Amino acid sequence: MNNYISENKDRFLNELLDMLRIPSVSADPKFKQDVLRTAEFVKDRLSEAGADKVELCETAGYPIVYGEKIIDPSLPTVLVYGHYDVQPADPYELWNSPPFEPVIKDGKIYARGACDDKGQMYMHVKAFEVMMRNNALPCNVKFMIEGEEEVGSANLATFVKNNKAKLAADVILISDTGMLGNDTPSITTGLRGMSYLEVEVTGPNRDLHSGLYGGAVANPINILCQMIASMHDENNHITIPGFYDNVVELSAEERAEMARAPFSLDKYKKALDLSDIHGEEGYTTMERNSIRPTLDVNGIWGGYIGEGAKTVIPSKAFAKISMRLVPDQTSEEITEKFTKHFESIAPASVKVLVKPHHGGEPVVTPTDSVAYKAASRAYEETFGVKPVPVRSGGSIPIVAMFKSELGLDSVLMGFGLDSDAIHSPNENFGVFNYMKGIETIPLFYKYYAEMSR
Amino acid sequence: MNNYISENKDRFLNELLDMLRIPSVSADPKFKQDVLRTAEFVKDRLSEAGADKVELCETAGYPIVYGEKIIDPSLPTVLVYGHYDVQPADPYELWNSPPFEPVIKDGKIYARGACDDKGQMYMHVKAFEVMMRNNALPCNVKFMIEGEEEVGSANLATFVKNNKAKLAADVILISDTGMLGNDTPSITTGLRGMSYLEVEVTGPNRDLHSGLYGGAVANPINILCQMIASMHDENNHITIPGFYDNVVELSAEERAEMARAPFSLDKYKKALDLSDIHGEEGYTTMERNSIRPTLDVNGIWGGYIGEGAKTVIPSKAFAKISMRLVPDQTSEEITEKFTKHFESIAPASVKVLVKPHHGGEPVVTPTDSVAYKAASRAYEETFGVKPVPVRSGGSIPIVAMFKSELGLDSVLMGFGLDSDAIHSPNENFGVFNYMKGIETIPLFYKYYAEMSR
């Protein structure tokens, strides 16, 4: 198989670049046609690779690309999940090359979606092609590639509920996470959940002159800042009543185990150009971004933000706020607690509105399963080192949903790196990592099929 | 003269509408040509009205329109100041009719600049025409109409310094303020100063994924909110060290005098649709917006502010912050204290940058001067009531500058109303007020000339 992979390397890369040229930003309606074109692209490549029953499954939002190859119903079935939509690319001016004009530089593919998740999702399409062309597919496989992951997978749960038979499988395989490093492969065994809301604070019913009214009416920006500031205490604990009620504290052993993962605080600060880190008292950086819940403002706006100066007290101020959740918090519980708290701390001089965007549940996946062991062996064979189990701070809400709806565990074989800058300007994905994924995935199938016998 | 005014009412209105159609937004470079066209417009109307030596005086920024009529060097000279630039009009979507397509509805002229200051400035051009056509100009007059008031009059001081002889006069006459009501005329006797700054808070050197980094690095938006929130205490006193050091407290008598001005808190709250007011403990609403200094965020932005959700920790967050000052605070002193304080409260996990925009000094004008008495008589004759002296919360920084550079007091004959929504969507100016101004101004000249003898 490795010969086939090396012979076709350039084509594998060019096909990915072609897909990266389509700006499939699901958050912004103006890219709707591009998102749909991307779905068609994935559908066509799946068919060419040898999948059967390839189709676009309509949803209330963007379609889900489905395809399968059933070689023997008595063999286990792997359900591959990925997404073809990408994050918005702005601020565009911070990109060194246009986000939707992919370039390969210093062994890295630069483009929005290069890693998250077009690059990692497409590794599976190509790995499938490799196994098909070499008559080496050892079990059944199904593909479910959605187009709304970056906006909360609003319609995926319904699709899964309505298609349980079609999606019947033994394990779910996902590459939408990262590794510690190219010399330190790792497998993600935990994900944080999320509660994402938008808040609106209204002061006076119209914008006011800050000279004539300043000091006498509530300025919604100042008030919003006060409300946001009050949601962390001096130790950076979140002050929402009951926020930590359901948080599972890790044992000293588990924390010691985590602390073994290689990590350099100096390198971390240097990479982000930080003079100091910032986070919850009593926890390490690796713990803060994985096993602890957070509250971050992802966007804020209000008043005059153009060039120059305008002396205005705006009528409204807005913020997008997300909270990352850990077991056993639930997005519904936290969304409710946030909303109740936010309304309760609003002074009588303003009106507030809280609009929940989307949520997802935290998850921890087993490390003693056949799937995990098969994945571990696959990495060990291609990287030469046994991969480390790691709990990630990110969220893939659908992992918990797959567990509850389909009763299936997911194995998270990520090949990205922290330096890939996903969700940021200059997102990139190593050619090394892309090819390593295409090489490693067939080995997962091989060992998974063997060990399942 | 009143016959001439009523006969020419329509033309007076149409000329103003023509000027309002030119979007002379000085804060936004994309309107540069329009700002310059507006200067030409004012220049031409001044000449037609009968002014001599009309010219555009070049500055480092937008030109100053100058014109004069010297009928007898032995008579007193009135120097009229006004500005032809306007505030930005956004948010456009909140206007009931386009800001630069003026309409007259229910006796009000709706357009950006209708009141501030095109409408009020043009009353002086027309009042001058009225006096000229009726051989009723009783003293000398000079006009100085600038185009950078809404961005801090950056180049006016230099112009004044370099043209002291040309601008020599006995009093400065300005209509860039308001009255308490059409049945309660008032004359502004005090103005607040201002210190306007823009702040930038930088966390990580690039936008980060809030899942992978959330909780472990400083989020510049959260930090900026904390810093802004900390600048007011629970009594809404400003916490910047030394901020109140030079504030002149009014005597009980002066506060009692102020309290006599008609004011209904219920009407005030109803007009702004506020359930409650908000301001500095221990002061009334009228005091909070006139004799007390303030700190307001005029604009804030950072992170993802587009449609939908983006889970990002931005690299930077920004805010525009202005402080209104009262005697004897100075903008230089307060700008320095703010900057020092803002830098001192920044945690080590972020970098901050403070950029001063512009400032102006507070001022209190005498009520026992000939000019004030002449203005008072003029209002009394046209409105039938004696005008009330009022200290305004707004800032016209150049009033203090005129005093220091030219040694001249200003008389602030405003004809606008609170409901004119200056600096807001749907700015408007009553046709009644526009015509009343044209009627009242010549009487000021008459009594000022008489009483100066």
Side-chain angles (χ1 to χ4, degrees):
Chain A
M1 292 199 286
N2 287 352
N3 293 342
Y4 183 87
I5 293 175
S6 42
E7 284 157 11
N8 291 278
K9 179 179 177 183
D10 293 351
R11 178 171 58 82
F12 289 177
L13 277 169
N14 290 329
E15 288 175 10
L16 173 56
L17 299 192
D18 288 342
M19 176 166 47
L20 291 171
R21 285 189 187 94
I22 319 175
S24 52
V25 180
S26 51
D28 189 339
K30 80 168 185 281
F31 292 106
K32 182 169 187 195
Q33 289 314 314
D34 299 300
V35 181
L36 295 172
R37 272 169 57 218
T38 311
E40 289 289 348
F41 181 98
V42 175
K43 173 170 162 290
D44 297 344
R45 297 295 87 70
L46 261 183
S47 307
E48 290 165 8
D52 302 327
K53 302 189 178 169
V54 182
E55 61 174 322
L56 293 189
C57 306
E58 291 312 320
T59 72
Y62 288 116
I64 291 161
V65 185
Y66 179 85
E68 65 176 40
K69 190 69 194 180
I70 308 300
I71 58 170
D72 175 352
S74 70
L75 290 173
T77 300
V78 175
L79 175 57
V80 175
Y81 165 85
H83 62 94
Y84 60 82
D85 63 320
V86 300
Q87 277 277 313
D90 52 326
Y92 281 67
E93 66 272 19
L94 297 185
W95 286 75
N96 299 330
S97 57
F100 299 109
E101 296 171 26
V103 292
I104 299 181
K105 227 175 63 195
D106 311 326
K108 293 172 170 179
I109 306 157
Y110 286 87
R112 167 59 81 229
C115 173
D116 177 16
D117 182 46
K118 282 175 171 172
Q120 296 216 76
M121 173 268 286
Y122 204 62
M123 297 182 310
H124 288 273
V125 180
K126 294 297 97 179
F128 172 63
E129 175 193 321
V130 171
M131 293 184 283
M132 291 297 287
R133 297 284 186 281
N134 295 271
N135 305 312
L137 182 66
C139 60
N140 306 311
V141 55
K142 296 176 176 178
F143 289 89
M144 170 173 54
I145 314 298
E146 74 155 318
E148 300 182 301
E149 198 272 346
E150 300 295 2
V151 288
S153 304
N155 301 294
L156 186 66
T158 316
F159 173 78
V160 169
K161 279 193 191 71
N162 300 339
N163 295 276
K164 291 189 176 177
K166 181 198 197 95
L167 300 173
D170 298 279
V171 69
I172 294 174
L173 178 58
I174 305 176
S175 296
D176 196 14
T177 50
M179 312 187 293
L180 292 174
N182 286 344
D183 47 6
T184 322
S186 57
I187 298 175
T188 302
T189 57
L191 293 162
R192 289 194 286 192
M194 179 154 64
S195 166
Y196 197 117
L197 311 96
E198 191 163 316
V199 299
E200 174 186 308
V201 175
T202 305
N205 55 1
R206 58 183 169 89
D207 288 4
L208 299 176
H209 184 294
S210 69
L212 303 183
Y213 292 88
V217 301
N219 178 326
I221 302 177
N222 291 70
I223 299 289
L224 176 59
C225 288
Q226 286 164 18
M227 293 173 75
I228 288 169
S230 76
M231 285 192 274
H232 285 92
D233 68 15
E234 64 283 7
N235 297 319
N236 287 309
H237 293 303
I238 292 154
T239 59
I240 297 169
F243 185 81
Y244 294 98
D245 285 358
N246 300 320
V247 171
V248 178
E249 292 283 345
L250 266 66
S251 66
E253 294 67 29
E254 289 173 297
R255 292 178 68 176
E257 173 60 35
M258 273 191 71
R260 288 214 193 78
F263 174 74
S264 157
L265 190 54
D266 286 345
K267 280 198 192 128
Y268 185 85
K269 283 158 66 178
K270 205 150 184 291
L272 301 174
D273 191 17
L274 296 171
S275 330
D276 197 3
I277 50 170
H278 180 98
E280 189 181 7
E281 206 60 33
Y283 294 91
T284 66
T285 291
M286 292 307 281
E287 291 171 336
R288 287 167 172 173
N289 64 24
S290 64
I291 63 168
R292 297 299 296 171
T294 65
L295 185 153
D296 271 301
V297 181
N298 302 116
I300 190 166
W301 67 105
Y304 182 67
I305 63 181
E307 260 203 72
K310 184 177 178 185
T311 51
V312 64
I313 293 176
S315 172
K316 292 175 186 291
F318 305 83
K320 294 175 193 271
I321 299 175
S322 68
M323 289 160 287
R324 297 283 171 168
L325 314 179
V326 301
D328 293 327
Q329 295 175 302
T330 71
S331 59
E332 188 185 358
E333 164 218 355
I334 294 301
T335 298
E336 190 183 322
K337 285 174 176 171
F338 176 96
T339 305
K340 199 153 150 272
H341 179 63
F342 196 79
E343 289 166 351
S344 74
I345 60 175
S349 50
V350 300
K351 301 177 192 69
V352 300
L353 184 66
V354 180
K355 289 177 264 176
H357 254 302
H358 63 266
E361 308 313 322
V363 65
V364 174
T365 63
T367 53
D368 54 4
S369 65
V370 168
Y372 182 85
K373 291 181 189 147
S376 183
R377 269 183 72 176
Y379 277 94
E380 192 170 355
E381 188 167 327
T382 51
F383 285 84
V385 223
K386 198 174 176 28
V388 192
V390 167
R391 279 180 63 170
S392 158
S395 304
I396 312 180
I398 44 88
V399 170
M401 186 269 287
F402 290 149
K403 181 70 178 177
S404 57
E405 293 300 328
L406 300 174
L408 297 178
D409 282 318
S410 298
V411 55
L412 304 167
M413 293 180 66
F415 294 88
L417 298 177
D418 260 13
S419 54
D420 292 348
I422 67 172
H423 290 212
S424 303
N426 305 309
E427 175 177 355
N428 61 86
F429 190 38
V431 172
F432 169 87
N433 302 71
Y434 178 62
M435 298 310 295
K436 261 299 188 245
I438 297 173
E439 203 182 311
T440 308
I441 291 164
L443 293 171
F444 166 79
Y445 282 79
K446 173 164 172 267
Y447 296 124
Y448 181 67
E450 282 177 18
M451 296 160 80
S452 301
R453 286 206 194 99
Chain B
M1 294 198 287
N2 287 352
N3 292 342
Y4 183 87
I5 293 174
S6 43
E7 285 157 12
N8 292 277
K9 179 179 177 183
D10 293 349
R11 179 171 57 84
F12 289 177
L13 277 169
N14 290 330
E15 288 175 10
L16 173 57
L17 299 192
D18 288 341
M19 177 167 47
L20 291 171
R21 286 189 188 91
I22 318 175
S24 52
V25 180
S26 51
D28 189 341
K30 80 167 184 280
F31 292 106
K32 182 168 188 195
Q33 290 314 314
D34 300 301
V35 181
L36 295 173
R37 273 170 56 218
T38 312
E40 289 287 347
F41 181 99
V42 175
K43 170 171 163 286
D44 297 345
R45 297 295 88 70
L46 261 184
S47 307
E48 289 166 11
D52 303 327
K53 301 189 179 168
V54 182
E55 59 173 325
L56 292 190
C57 305
E58 292 312 321
T59 73
Y62 289 117
I64 291 161
V65 185
Y66 179 84
E68 63 175 42
K69 190 71 194 181
I70 307 300
I71 57 171
D72 175 352
S74 69
L75 290 173
T77 301
V78 174
L79 174 57
V80 175
Y81 165 84
H83 62 94
Y84 61 82
D85 63 321
V86 300
Q87 277 277 312
D90 51 326
Y92 281 69
E93 65 273 17
L94 297 185
W95 286 76
N96 299 328
S97 57
F100 299 109
E101 296 171 27
V103 292
I104 298 181
K105 228 173 63 192
D106 313 327
K108 292 172 169 177
I109 306 156
Y110 286 88
R112 168 59 81 229
C115 173
D116 178 16
D117 183 46
K118 282 175 172 172
Q120 296 216 76
M121 172 269 286
Y122 204 62
M123 296 183 310
H124 288 273
V125 180
K126 293 297 97 180
F128 172 64
E129 175 193 321
V130 170
M131 293 185 282
M132 291 296 288
R133 298 283 188 279
N134 294 270
N135 304 313
L137 182 66
C139 61
N140 307 312
V141 57
K142 296 176 176 178
F143 289 89
M144 169 173 56
I145 314 298
E146 74 156 319
E148 301 182 300
E149 198 273 346
E150 301 295 2
V151 287
S153 304
N155 300 294
L156 186 66
T158 315
F159 173 78
V160 169
K161 280 193 191 72
N162 300 340
N163 294 276
K164 291 188 174 176
K166 180 196 197 97
L167 301 173
D170 297 279
V171 70
I172 294 174
L173 177 60
I174 305 176
S175 294
D176 196 14
T177 51
M179 311 186 294
L180 293 173
N182 286 344
D183 47 8
T184 323
S186 56
I187 298 174
T188 302
T189 57
L191 293 162
R192 289 195 286 192
M194 178 153 62
S195 166
Y196 197 116
L197 310 97
E198 191 163 315
V199 299
E200 174 187 307
V201 175
T202 305
N205 55 3
R206 57 183 170 91
D207 287 5
L208 299 176
H209 184 293
S210 69
L212 302 183
Y213 291 88
V217 300
N219 178 325
I221 302 177
N222 291 67
I223 299 289
L224 175 59
C225 288
Q226 287 164 18
M227 294 173 75
I228 288 169
S230 76
M231 285 193 273
H232 286 91
D233 68 15
E234 65 284 4
N235 297 319
N236 287 308
H237 293 301
I238 292 155
T239 59
I240 297 170
F243 186 81
Y244 295 98
D245 285 359
N246 300 322
V247 172
V248 178
E249 292 284 344
L250 266 65
S251 67
E253 294 67 32
E254 289 171 297
R255 291 179 68 177
E257 173 60 35
M258 273 190 73
R260 289 214 191 80
F263 174 75
S264 157
L265 190 55
D266 287 346
K267 282 200 190 124
Y268 186 84
K269 282 158 65 178
K270 204 148 182 289
L272 300 174
D273 191 17
L274 296 171
S275 331
D276 196 2
I277 49 169
H278 179 98
E280 188 181 6
E281 205 60 33
Y283 295 90
T284 67
T285 292
M286 291 307 280
E287 290 171 336
R288 287 166 172 173
N289 64 23
S290 64
I291 62 167
R292 297 300 296 172
T294 66
L295 186 153
D296 272 300
V297 182
N298 302 117
I300 191 166
W301 67 104
Y304 183 66
I305 64 180
E307 260 202 74
K310 185 178 176 185
T311 51
V312 64
I313 293 176
S315 172
K316 292 174 185 291
F318 306 83
K320 294 175 192 270
I321 300 174
S322 68
M323 289 159 286
R324 296 284 170 169
L325 315 178
V326 301
D328 294 327
Q329 294 176 301
T330 71
S331 59
E332 188 185 356
E333 163 217 355
I334 294 301
T335 298
E336 190 182 322
K337 285 174 176 170
F338 176 96
T339 306
K340 202 154 147 272
H341 179 64
F342 196 80
E343 289 166 350
S344 74
I345 60 175
S349 51
V350 301
K351 302 177 190 67
V352 301
L353 185 66
V354 179
K355 290 176 263 177
H357 254 302
H358 62 267
E361 308 315 323
V363 64
V364 174
T365 62
T367 54
D368 55 4
S369 66
V370 167
Y372 181 85
K373 290 181 189 147
S376 182
R377 270 185 72 176
Y379 277 94
E380 192 171 358
E381 188 167 324
T382 50
F383 285 84
V385 225
K386 197 175 174 35
V388 191
V390 166
R391 278 181 63 171
S392 159
S395 304
I396 311 181
I398 43 87
V399 170
M401 186 269 288
F402 290 150
K403 180 71 178 178
S404 57
E405 293 301 327
L406 300 174
L408 297 179
D409 282 318
S410 298
V411 56
L412 303 167
M413 293 180 68
F415 293 89
L417 298 176
D418 261 12
S419 54
D420 292 349
I422 66 171
H423 290 213
S424 304
N426 305 309
E427 175 178 354
N428 63 85
F429 191 38
V431 172
F432 169 87
N433 303 69
Y434 179 61
M435 297 311 294
K436 262 298 189 241
I438 297 173
E439 204 181 310
T440 308
I441 292 164
L443 294 171
F444 165 78
Y445 282 79
K446 174 164 170 260
Y447 295 124
Y448 182 67
E450 283 177 17
M451 297 160 78
S452 300
R453 281 203 200 101

